[in-house]
Amino acid sequence: MRISTEQMFRQGANAITDQQANLSKTQLQLSTGQRMQSPADDPIGSAQALQLNQAVQMTQQYQTNADSAVNRLSIEDTTLDGVTNTLQRVRELAVQANSGALANSDRLAIAKEVQERLNELIGLANSKDGNGEYLFAGYQGQTQPFAQTATGTVTYNGDQGQRLLQISPGRQIAVGDSGQAVFMAVRDGNGTFATAATAGNKGTGTIDLGSVVDPTAYVADTYTISFVTNSSGQLAYNVTGATTGQVIPPPPADPVASAQNYASGSTITFNGIQLTITGQPVTGDSFTAKQSSDHDIFSTLLNLLNVLWKPIDSPASAAQSAQGIGSALANIDRALDNIDNTRAQVGARLNAIDSQKEVNDASSLHLQETLSQVQDLDYTEAISRLNQQLLGLQAAQQTFVKVQGLSLFNYLR
Amino acid sequence: MSGSADLLQIGVSGLLAYQRSLASVGHNVSNATTPGYSRQTVDLQAAPAQLLGGNYMGSGVQIEQVRRSYDSFLTAQVRTFTTTHSQYDVFHSLASQVDSLLGDSQAGLAPQLQSFFSAVQGVANDPSSTSARQVMLSEAGSLADRFHSLDSQLSGLRDDVNSRVQSTVGDINSLATSLAQLNQQIVSAQGTAGGQPPNDLLDQRDVLLAQLSEQVTVSSIPQPDGSVNVLVGNGQAIVLGSRSVSFGTAPSPDDSSRLEITYDTGASKVAVTSQLVGGTLGGVLDFRKQVLGPAQNALGRIAVGLADSFNAQHRAGMTLDGSLGGDFFSVPDPVVSANSNNTGSGSVSAKVSDPSALTTSDYNLAYDGNNYVLTRQSDGKTWTQPGSSYNNVDGLTLTLSSGAMSVGDSFAIRPTRGAATGLQVAVTTTNDIAAAAPIRTVAASVNQGNATISSGEVLDATKLPTDLSLLPTFHINFDTPSSYTVTDQSGNLLSNGSYQSGVDIDYFKTNLGLRVQISGTPQAGDTFTVEPNTLGVGDNRNALLLSGLQSQRILDGGSTTYQSAYGQLISSVGVSTHQADIAVTSYAASLEHAQSARDSAAGVNLDEEAANILKFQQSYQAAAQVISVANTLFDTLLHAVGR
């Protein structure tokens, strides 16, 4: 084929510029470490890289969220630990006060400390987190949740809201508990029903916490155990439910004449529950066992204070004091149980966050690996390609010079 | 005359012939690098013989013609590949600008979208923190800025396209004028030379045709008088003999930002844009239609979708001040422009009624006298109906807001074009970010049952008062374990119902657009409360829902997240650019082949010319020797006679 001189120049020059373009692309790849310089280099890969990048960053955000959740839950846990210590101290004080050998002045000293502990408890319940928000106020983070009224009772001004944080695409975790759940919603008595001596009882009878022995037979009601003198002239008792009516003696027996004989310490069993009254009540005394309801920790302490402030001046007042301290102890135990449960939940959440963080770390690593496969350069391949292209460019330049040096005109003299 | 005089004549004819041959070699050597030059050779032939003494005696050499080595097929092939190559070349260079603009790992939309949603998560983590809220506001501002900057760069490319169209049309016009002039010169030169071709003028015309073929598809039809008629694009005549026509540019009647190419027929200006394909012009027009428009619309659609869904969720939340959230972003309504040729008084307004159904296409609404025809520009799908209002077609609601359309009137509707530029952050103070839910629920502490109440969810925020303190407190009271009443704070009975665990309570759903559920076993006397979330500054429920929008499939009929819609945009621009890149490379090779084939026939080879110089020089010397011999013969004769 006939070749024109212009054509030879053009082909030589084109070969050099083509080689240079390839070389410059490889150079750019090597200097950035990226396989794709723009989406056009691999449209599908770059869309994939975009998704993967987003997933990596979202996972990082979930880790940040998880850290923030751990912070808040740790503060809550520490605070609840303080609450447990305080309550345990109060419990010790109550046990101490319950030993009959104390003088009234000692009881007042104990009352003083209980008062201090109550204030401490209110302080703990009003704790703030690292951002200055109240821990136990529900959604109302800027509203002080617990306040003492003029009469001494403590009211809850928060709500039952619980904040959740996103720690994985499909998982939200609670990072707090409302003051309602922690301090207010404590079932009194034994959790099913609460016993009490009626104020003004003249005898020395006290009632224990009681228990449910047959849950299927249990009927929720307010039961009154009244002491009467029965037809045989014995001190006896009958039991009446506010809605279920007469229970002991079983109807239609006369509640007074056929009332059950009383012996101190013997168990009283009805409708699936079992109670024990000890001591010596007198006719006209009564005791109640009513369905448990929420009783806040503060009023438990206030009730204890009221008992301690009252001087013991008679066997009856001693019995009332013992009864009051007994039910306070029961309620403190219930409160401790409640705090323990809450702490167990907090611990469970912390564990869950821990394992979720590990999962997030693993998936973040996996995502980054995939991302690297999609967008990163294979250096070995690129460097050998660079060498090949350098060689190619050199060859193109050398042949160009050599071929262009040949001309017949060189020999025309 | 005969004898030595004849020999002298023959020698002279040889001298002249080789002089011209050498001159043409010189011409070839001088033009070795002239673009479009075709190598010329002097064709020699023996001069007619003379009958002398019954024998035909040769009388020397004469020039038959000066021939240019030319192959019209090869030249036309070069033009064809030049057109295709320059079309993809310009398309590629424009598309790769969009490609690297959108795909930039720092300046693209993707990183800013991520930063914004991280800031929303920041508010969810600490809803009452002013600084977290401030970060969210600034990130939202940066997101809007990013939309603006991407869109303004795309708009810049649109201006670039317009100026390229203008300058290309100018080039085409001036080439057409030059071609017409050359046609005239060639016709007269050929006439003057008695039909001999004016080779250099013909080359020059081929060069102009090659230049024209860079701009647009060209076909040339040779005429018997030596001129050519030139058609561009799909057969638009531009040069007829010595006459040429010129094109103009004018803004499109339905989109003033788009330049159309017009042809002035004298009576009217006809748009011929769709006729002009191939070349730089075709590449620029293809880019505008296939890459720029869809890219700008797709970006706008993300802006509309983001603004609309974010706003809907934000309106269902409560601000720090305790009122219902407002719009977080503002985004302009679809752009409707009346065709400048409309004669009716009608004006059309358009609203986005369902962002998830929006496409990236533009639309056209036309009235044909009986029906209003809505056309989707991307695929030509039409809707035809006698009424002028279209409700929720591809997420759009169109109404003839005033006046009436005349027959032939039309409106261009661009639902998403202006959205990216018009996206603004509507919330200005940190307090107005609605991170909390507007209500909360409470289970009374005296409740004996184990039933729990859900925290409440907003289904339809429009049913709630803007000032949430006007919302009363509702009580749900269980009179029996299986039935409840709903009362307001003053005890007025609002509703009653029979209890089913885990089922929406009708009263709240119907009257307040709220989903409230109670599950478990309640006991008679149990009470639950639904109340406004007064002072609920630590509530992050709505912020969580807002941040969840990032991974929610909202666009494209609920199949695509914001981020993946952007990914689709990037990959579709990437595919176009990639294909153009491949086409550029392959057509460059084809063009190179065609040029080589043409040069092989028409190009100058200097070695060949050097050989010709030697050849003609020797022949010239030989002819001179003949003259010398003739002279010697004459001298000999004179010498013999003159003694």
Side-chain angles (χ1 to χ4, degrees):
Chain A
M1 183 174 134
R2 191 179 168 279
I3 305 278
S4 82
T5 308
E6 175 70 12
Q7 193 181 347
M8 271 161 61
F9 268 101
R10 200 180 55 236
Q11 280 175 348
N14 279 353
I16 292 173
T17 47
D18 283 355
Q19 298 277 11
Q20 277 173 340
N22 289 338
L23 197 61
S24 124
K25 189 174 175 183
T26 310
Q27 190 190 9
L28 207 59
Q29 282 183 331
L30 280 167
S31 56
T32 56
Q34 304 259 304
R35 188 168 64 82
M36 302 172 285
Q37 297 306 315
S38 81
D41 291 341
D42 181 357
I44 295 165
S46 48
Q48 216 181 342
L50 201 70
Q51 292 289 345
L52 286 166
N53 249 322
Q54 186 195 13
V56 168
Q57 282 170 1
M58 279 175 88
T59 314
Q60 277 164 2
Q61 181 64 44
Y62 293 138
Q63 296 297 68
T64 313
N65 296 355
D67 288 341
S68 148
V70 167
N71 264 335
R72 211 161 188 275
L73 287 172
S74 306
I75 295 175
E76 185 185 354
D77 192 48
T78 317
T79 310
L80 291 178
D81 189 42
V83 171
T84 309
N85 290 339
T86 307
L87 284 177
Q88 254 153 6
R89 177 62 188 154
V90 172
R91 191 178 193 287
E92 283 166 20
L93 291 170
V95 171
Q96 205 183 333
N98 210 14
S99 73
L102 285 182
N104 283 336
S105 60
D106 295 335
R107 286 163 58 90
L108 283 178
I110 290 174
K112 266 198 181 125
E113 189 178 343
V114 171
Q115 178 68 58
E116 284 310 311
R117 296 293 170 183
L118 174 61
N119 292 341
E120 184 180 303
L121 203 59
I122 295 172
L124 283 169
N126 284 331
S127 296
K128 293 181 176 181
D129 69 6
N131 298 318
E133 277 192 53
Y134 289 103
L135 269 180
F136 299 109
Y139 293 140
Q140 300 167 52
Q142 311 280 13
T143 312
Q144 183 180 321
F146 294 96
Q148 213 165 3
T149 63
T151 59
T153 56
V154 176
T155 55
Y156 178 56
N157 301 316
D159 52 58
Q160 298 175 5
Q162 199 175 28
R163 184 186 299 174
L164 304 173
L165 288 190
Q166 194 88 37
I167 58 165
S168 83
R171 182 147 193 198
Q172 297 182 342
I173 199 139
V175 292
D177 296 276
S178 72
Q180 171 78 28
V182 178
F183 298 100
M184 307 301 279
V186 181
R187 292 273 147 145
D188 58 0
N190 60 18
T192 309
F193 60 90
T195 58
T198 309
N201 278 0
K202 303 272 191 302
T204 60
T206 55
I207 186 166
D208 74 346
L209 280 182
S211 59
V212 177
V213 288
D214 181 1
T216 53
Y218 175 69
V219 182
D221 198 357
T222 301
Y223 298 100
T224 309
I225 302 137
S226 312
F227 282 85
V228 292
T229 310
N230 65 8
S231 53
S232 25
Q234 294 280 323
L235 177 66
Y237 63 90
N238 59 35
V239 179
T240 324
T243 52
T244 44
Q246 183 182 331
V247 182
I248 296 177
D254 184 77
V256 177
S258 312
Q260 194 84 29
N261 284 352
Y262 167 76
S264 173
S266 67
T267 56
I268 302 171
T269 311
F270 57 88
N271 285 6
I273 65 178
Q274 186 174 307
L275 303 164
T276 311
I277 294 175
T278 46
Q280 202 51 55
V282 297
T283 302
D285 285 0
S286 64
F287 298 88
T288 55
K290 66 174 182 187
Q291 201 182 355
S292 287
S293 61
D294 286 349
H295 199 75
D296 65 88
I297 292 180
F298 310 103
S299 60
T300 297
L301 265 59
L302 285 167
N303 287 347
L304 178 61
L305 277 174
N306 282 335
V307 172
L308 293 175
W309 280 330
K310 214 174 271 175
I312 295 178
D313 48 12
S314 64
S317 61
Q320 276 168 13
S321 162
Q323 181 73 55
I325 292 175
S327 70
L329 275 172
N331 286 344
I332 289 171
D333 285 344
R334 301 279 315 152
L336 277 167
D337 278 355
N338 194 48
I339 302 287
D340 278 352
N341 279 340
T342 313
R343 285 189 72 187
Q345 279 174 26
V346 169
R349 285 179 211 148
L350 283 168
N351 283 342
I353 294 171
D354 259 1
S355 59
Q356 186 62 52
K357 278 182 77 169
E358 276 171 29
V359 171
N360 287 352
D361 271 338
S363 79
S364 170
L365 194 69
H366 178 70
L367 285 168
Q368 267 160 348
E369 265 174 25
T370 319
L371 183 61
S372 160
Q373 279 166 13
V374 171
Q375 69 176 12
D376 287 355
L377 183 68
D378 176 353
Y379 273 96
T380 325
E381 184 272 331
I383 287 171
S384 74
R385 179 151 44 89
L386 181 78
N387 283 328
Q388 199 182 344
Q389 284 165 349
L390 281 173
L391 203 66
L393 180 58
Q394 260 174 5
Q397 287 170 340
Q398 281 176 358
T399 47
F400 183 71
V401 172
K402 284 249 151 86
V403 169
Q404 294 309 324
L406 293 176
S407 169
L408 196 49
F409 282 103
N410 292 342
Y411 306 103
L412 285 182
R413 292 279 184 263
Chain B
M1 281 259 296
S2 64
S4 63
D6 275 354
L7 190 58
L8 194 66
Q9 282 299 323
I10 289 172
V12 168
S13 81
L15 273 188
L16 286 176
Y18 294 117
Q19 218 169 33
R20 298 220 167 116
S21 292
L22 277 171
S24 101
V25 170
H27 190 53
N28 283 345
V29 170
S30 312
N31 285 299
T33 60
T34 304
Y37 177 76
S38 305
R39 145 178 90 95
Q40 296 177 9
T41 33
V42 176
D43 286 351
L44 302 178
Q45 68 180 18
Q50 289 175 349
L51 189 62
L52 286 176
N55 292 312
Y56 280 106
M57 289 297 294
S59 65
V61 68
Q62 68 179 29
I63 293 168
E64 187 200 358
Q65 64 164 348
V66 178
R67 183 169 53 84
R68 68 174 180 144
S69 302
Y70 174 79
D71 185 320
S72 63
F73 171 73
L74 294 177
T75 310
Q77 204 173 31
V78 170
R79 280 207 292 268
T80 309
F81 285 118
T82 304
T83 303
T84 330
H85 178 256
S86 65
Q87 175 185 353
Y88 283 106
D89 197 35
V90 72
F91 183 94
H92 177 248
S93 84
L94 286 168
S96 54
Q97 286 184 47
V98 179
D99 187 50
S100 40
L101 169 70
L102 297 176
D104 191 292
S105 59
Q106 300 308 315
L109 186 65
Q112 192 54 53
L113 208 52
Q114 179 61 42
S115 304
F116 171 63
F117 276 102
S118 291
V120 179
Q121 294 259 8
V123 171
N125 288 352
D126 193 1
S128 63
S129 150
T130 317
S131 56
R133 285 166 177 260
Q134 189 57 55
V135 170
M136 176 170 160
L137 276 192
S138 1
E139 289 295 352
S142 307
L143 181 62
D145 282 350
R146 188 60 56 88
F147 269 111
H148 300 169
S149 99
L150 289 174
D151 199 60
S152 76
Q153 295 189 57
L154 292 177
S155 294
L157 280 172
R158 191 171 285 277
D159 296 341
D160 188 24
V161 163
N162 282 342
S163 68
R164 275 171 191 255
V165 166
Q166 235 160 0
S167 71
T168 311
V169 166
D171 283 354
I172 292 174
N173 287 342
S174 75
L175 285 169
T177 317
S178 307
L179 277 168
Q181 283 169 358
L182 265 176
N183 265 344
Q184 198 172 13
Q185 287 177 30
I186 287 168
V187 170
S188 74
Q190 204 162 327
T192 315
Q196 286 294 342
N199 288 330
D200 295 308
L201 288 179
L202 294 179
D203 276 351
Q204 220 174 319
R205 188 172 66 188
D206 280 339
V207 169
L208 290 183
L209 280 172
Q211 284 175 2
L212 188 59
S213 74
E214 271 178 36
Q215 316 289 355
V216 67
T217 303
V218 173
S219 53
S220 66
I221 304 155
Q223 301 300 307
D225 63 355
S227 67
V228 290
N229 290 347
V230 181
L231 310 178
V232 293
N234 289 335
Q236 190 72 35
I238 189 168
V239 176
L240 294 170
S242 58
R243 282 186 307 113
S244 68
V245 297
S246 66
F247 295 125
T249 55
S252 158
D254 54 24
D255 181 2
S256 57
S257 73
R258 194 174 72 211
L259 272 191
E260 296 281 358
I261 300 156
T262 56
Y263 167 57
D264 198 343
T265 60
S268 67
K269 287 187 172 177
V270 186
V272 291
T273 315
S274 59
Q275 299 283 316
L276 299 177
V277 296
T280 312
L281 188 60
V284 167
L285 295 174
D286 283 354
F287 165 73
R288 178 167 78 185
K289 192 173 172 191
Q290 293 166 13
V291 175
L292 187 58
Q296 219 169 0
N297 285 355
L299 193 67
R301 186 174 68 147
I302 298 172
V304 173
L306 174 75
D308 211 274
S309 53
F310 207 85
N311 285 349
Q313 189 59 55
H314 195 256
R315 284 197 298 264
M318 186 183 80
T319 66
L320 267 192
D321 306 331
S323 46
L324 210 55
D327 279 348
F328 189 85
F329 290 108
S330 68
V331 70
D333 279 333
V335 180
V336 179
S337 50
N339 191 302
S340 54
N341 301 327
N342 280 1
T343 52
S345 60
S347 80
V348 167
S349 72
K351 289 222 174 295
V352 173
S353 45
D354 179 6
S356 74
L358 275 184
T359 69
T360 57
S361 178
D362 291 342
Y363 295 81
N364 186 284
L365 180 69
Y367 181 56
D368 66 4
N370 296 315
N371 288 311
Y372 291 86
V373 182
L374 183 66
T375 312
R376 182 162 67 202
Q377 305 286 18
S378 60
D379 58 359
K381 179 179 164 64
T382 56
W383 291 263
T384 306
Q385 63 176 35
S388 62
S389 295
Y390 276 88
N391 200 9
N392 210 7
V393 174
D394 280 355
L396 281 177
T397 294
L398 307 177
T399 37
L400 189 62
S401 50
S402 69
M405 285 169 80
S406 301
V407 177
D409 282 6
S410 70
F411 288 85
I413 297 130
R414 287 183 285 281
T416 52
R417 171 83 66 81
T421 303
L423 183 75
Q424 299 289 348
V425 181
V427 166
T428 50
T429 62
T430 52
N431 278 10
D432 288 345
I433 295 174
I439 52 145
R440 63 179 174 234
T441 59
V442 176
S445 60
V446 295
N447 284 359
Q448 296 293 348
N450 66 8
T452 54
I453 185 164
S454 69
S455 66
E457 189 183 331
V458 179
L459 300 175
D460 179 2
T462 58
K463 291 184 173 169
L464 291 170
T466 308
D467 180 0
L468 289 167
S469 63
L470 300 176
L471 190 73
T473 298
F474 299 92
H475 297 291
I476 305 161
N477 313 297
F478 281 88
D479 305 325
T480 69
S482 61
S483 69
Y484 62 84
T485 58
V486 178
T487 57
D488 66 10
Q489 54 207 353
S490 335
N492 299 321
L493 178 68
L494 301 171
S495 158
N496 50 26
S498 63
Y499 171 69
Q500 272 178 291
S501 174
V503 169
D504 297 350
I505 294 176
D506 259 350
Y507 177 78
F508 295 103
K509 197 172 183 181
T510 325
N511 297 292
L512 297 162
L514 296 174
R515 168 175 290 155
V516 176
Q517 297 175 338
I518 294 176
S519 32
T521 316
Q523 279 192 11
D526 285 2
T527 307
F528 297 89
T529 305
V530 176
E531 59 186 16
N533 196 2
T534 315
L535 297 176
V537 297
D539 182 12
N540 68 350
R541 281 177 289 169
N542 205 48
L544 277 181
L545 292 170
L546 286 171
S547 73
L549 293 175
Q550 185 184 11
S551 39
Q552 206 167 313
R553 297 177 186 278
I554 290 167
L555 300 173
D556 246 353
S559 67
T560 313
T561 64
Y562 311 130
Q563 188 81 289
S564 53
Y566 188 66
Q568 280 174 10
L569 166 60
I570 285 188
S571 69
S572 79
V573 173
V575 166
S576 298
T577 315
H578 186 62
Q579 283 171 348
D581 191 22
I582 292 174
V584 169
T585 317
S586 75
Y587 283 112
S590 308
L591 177 60
E592 173 64 29
H593 276 295
Q595 260 170 348
S596 295
R598 180 201 165 272
D599 284 359
S600 183
V604 177
N605 183 314
L606 289 176
D607 284 353
E608 185 185 43
E609 300 303 328
N612 283 342
I613 286 179
L614 288 177
K615 182 173 82 180
F616 294 135
Q617 198 181 0
Q618 284 170 5
S619 303
Y620 184 88
Q621 284 168 345
Q625 196 63 43
V626 170
I627 292 174
S628 163
V629 168
N631 187 37
T632 314
L633 289 180
F634 195 63
D635 274 358
T636 310
L637 189 62
L638 281 183
H639 195 69
V641 177
R643 186 160 39 117

